[in-house]
Amino acid sequence: MKQVAYYKGCLASLSAKELDISTQALAPKVGYELIELESVTCCGAGDIHEAEPDYYLHLNARILSYAAATGADTLMTVCNVCTLNLRQANHQLLNDAALRERVNDNLEQVGVPRYEQDVDCVHFLWLVAGESFGKLQEVAHKGLRGLRIAPFYGCQILRPSKLMGFDDPDKPDSLERIIAACGGEAIDYPAKIKCCGFPIIQAREETALAELIQPIEQAKEAGADAMVTPCPLCHLSLDAWQSKLKKQTGKDFQMPIFHLSQLIGVAAGLEDAELRFKRHVVSMQPVLEKLAL
Amino acid sequence: MKVELKIWRYDTSTGERALRPYEVDVTEEATLLDTLDAVRDRLDGSLAYRKSCRMMICGSCGMRVDGGAVLACKTRIADVVADGHVPVVSAMGNLPIVKDLVVDMDPFWQKMRAVQPYLEPRLDRATEKENVVAQEQMDMIHKESLCINCGCCVSECNSMESDPDFLGPAALAKGFRFVGDARDGATIDRLERYSEEHGIWDCTRCYFCNERCPKGVDPRDAIAKLGAEAMKAGIDRDMGARHAKWFVTSAKTTGWLRETELVPKTQGVVKAIKEIKFAMSLLPKGKIPLPFPPHVAADIGESRALFDLVTDQGRSGAAGIVQGEKALMHLAHHGESVDGPSHPYDDPRSFPKPYLPDEEPAT
Ligand code: SF4
Ligand code: SF4
Ligand code: FES
């Protein structure tokens, strides 16, 4: 069992608790002991990076410092946006000694340990599709019975690739490999690497919905039983904003949306209480019935 | 070296569109542009594409390879056709096609014009002698100054696809090139204008522009710098700005995003009330966490103290982003090529644009 520091971020702590619960249940099965970080805050979700960039850097340095304090060399995230924000700050600190020194002095002044021991920040997807892929194939014994799953990556786990770099940003395949390993069939459709519209869903709803409809509609047309995403923000817009699409376009997609940890969790035989599908807005029932057959 | 490729042809006179296969012999060192020259010289003199400098500086030869915008003269064809891959070459997206690989750059230039891409000197500071600008001040706009107006960043911009009036990555990056210029006197005016509808806060942060830009401008980062400068100047009426501000407040007060209050803080109470029906539909699912008691992170005092400390250190606004750029400079774009599923861009739905001149941009 490998120890990793676990940063769950805002959404998995709040509106997407089912993501946290299923991740905590699944992680040991694929070889990880999660050390949850207590004294951490929001990564800023790109918003603090835009509003108060220097504060963004310090908040993320603080998260990295507490991750390093666990003694683990890996900080695991379950959100695209957290991953980009933390990796960006981490790259800046690791490659600029003067900047790191200044940030560390500031951390120290307010009582936060200096960020000295480097950690690598990675998304859960990368662990499962990478070093634990063999384990995954062992645990996914219950399988997905050929369920047709549309992978949806979202933006910030692919781009900018110079900061992310796990998948080919234009031709990713980690989700497809996981779906196949779990006994599902991955559906291919072009919008899987595009934006779900979440960052502007409140400020520019119309533009955001025009983005959101593309992946859902294409997945539906391709015959997907459900979609899966590694990002709780994508999950929120894909799942909760479907009703808005219906209101705006008259199209009622009823497309069930899995969090990545739930999809693998189903294949690995996690209990209902560990998956919490009842917390979704779009009913997961049709998919679960197919699996029960 | 034998090269196979397919090119989307568009004939203005007939309106006919077709994906045509070609096969030519080129040298190992040939670029995509050299390859197109070979196609035109030896196979089909009617093939239309733009070029001038052949050395990545004029910005004429932007086009899509397998759906992603590149400069033809910067792209080695041997890398593209490795392992027998047959690339699909087409015109850039988000701009109307004139013929074959040539797009009408007019909408691009209109947006450039809209940001007033020229220095508006600070007459208040006019001196007898020349105006010396310190190196650090020019470093602020180093990246944005590298832009060659090629349009590659615009080609896959997700927000522009959904809102064709969005100023877009190239024009906004140009905007920051002047906002960040110590000699410019119209900063506040610019920030006001760029903060309007279709401006800074339209960007959906898809990062396609950073991924595509062949010159390392990183337009998305330039947009963040504009946002940071606008908010520093107190220009924060836009919902996007208020949204961003609420994250800062949340981080300082509870540490975690105060999700439930985000909607009224962003949209204002009146609009938020209109959203109540939608909100109520999410309530039973726990998607609207109750704000009380607040979910407070441990040691939240540290986060507040950090805020107070760094706001006194003079790196607010764009300077806070620029300070991290040196460290990122050495990172090259990468991502291993894999024998994955079919290429997402092979599908004409991947990006509904490029659209033809007689078509309305889809909204
Ligand atoms: S990050 Fe913003 S400007 Fe850049 S391509 Fe995406 S939506 Fe367009
Ligand atoms: S920002 Fe980059 S991609 Fe966009 S026009 Fe300028 S050089 Fe081209
Ligand atoms: S021909 Fe000038 S940039 Fe390619």
Side-chain angles (χ1 to χ4, degrees), chain B residues 211-229:
Chain B
E211 196 63 41
R212 298 293 184 241
C213 175
K215 299 307 260 186
V217 173
D218 288 340
R220 165 59 217 160
D221 298 18
I223 296 171
K225 291 172 197 169
L226 284 175
E229 286 296 307

Side-chain angles (χ1 to χ4, degrees), chain A residues 155 195 200 211, chain B residues 153-154 156-160 166 168-170 172 200 202-210 219-221 223:
Chain A
C155 298
C195 185
I200 52 170
E211 289 166 8
Chain B
C153 54
V154 163
E156 276 87 62
C157 173
N158 276 203
S159 277
M160 200 186 286
F166 174 40
L172 286 169
I200 303 174
D202 251 45
C203 167
T204 194
R205 302 184 193 155
C206 70
Y207 282 91
F208 268 107
C209 52
N210 284 22
R220 165 59 217 160
D221 298 18
I223 296 171

Side-chain angles (χ1 to χ4, degrees), chain B residues 3 27 72 179 188 196 225 242 274 310-311 316 331:
Chain B
V3 168
T27 61
V179 162
I188 297 297
E196 284 167 12
K225 291 172 197 169
R242 293 206 300 259
K274 289 196 193 131
V310 302
T311 31
S316 58
L331 292 173

Side-chain angles (χ1 to χ4, degrees), chain B residues 33 50-62 71-74 148 150:
Chain B
L33 187 57
R50 279 202 184 97
K51 65 168 180 179
S52 177
C53 70
R54 315 176 61 95
M55 51 195 292
M56 303 166 251
I57 200 64
C58 72
S60 306
C61 64
L71 290 180
C73 67
K74 193 188 174 192
I148 58 169
C150 62

Side-chain angles (χ1 to χ4, degrees), chain B residues 130-180:
Chain B
E130 63 192 319
N131 190 358
V132 181
V133 180
Q135 183 61 46
E136 304 101 71
Q137 284 180 309
M138 289 318 282
D139 288 349
M140 278 287 281
I141 52 172
H142 170 73
K143 281 170 74 177
E144 291 75 17
S145 309
L146 300 173
C147 174
I148 58 169
N149 308 325
C150 62
C152 289
C153 54
V154 163
S155 178
E156 276 87 62
C157 173
N158 276 203
S159 277
M160 200 186 286
E161 195 192 337
S162 293
D163 171 12
D165 291 330
F166 174 40
L167 280 173
L172 286 169
K174 188 68 75 196
F176 182 74
R177 187 248 166 274
F178 291 99
V179 162

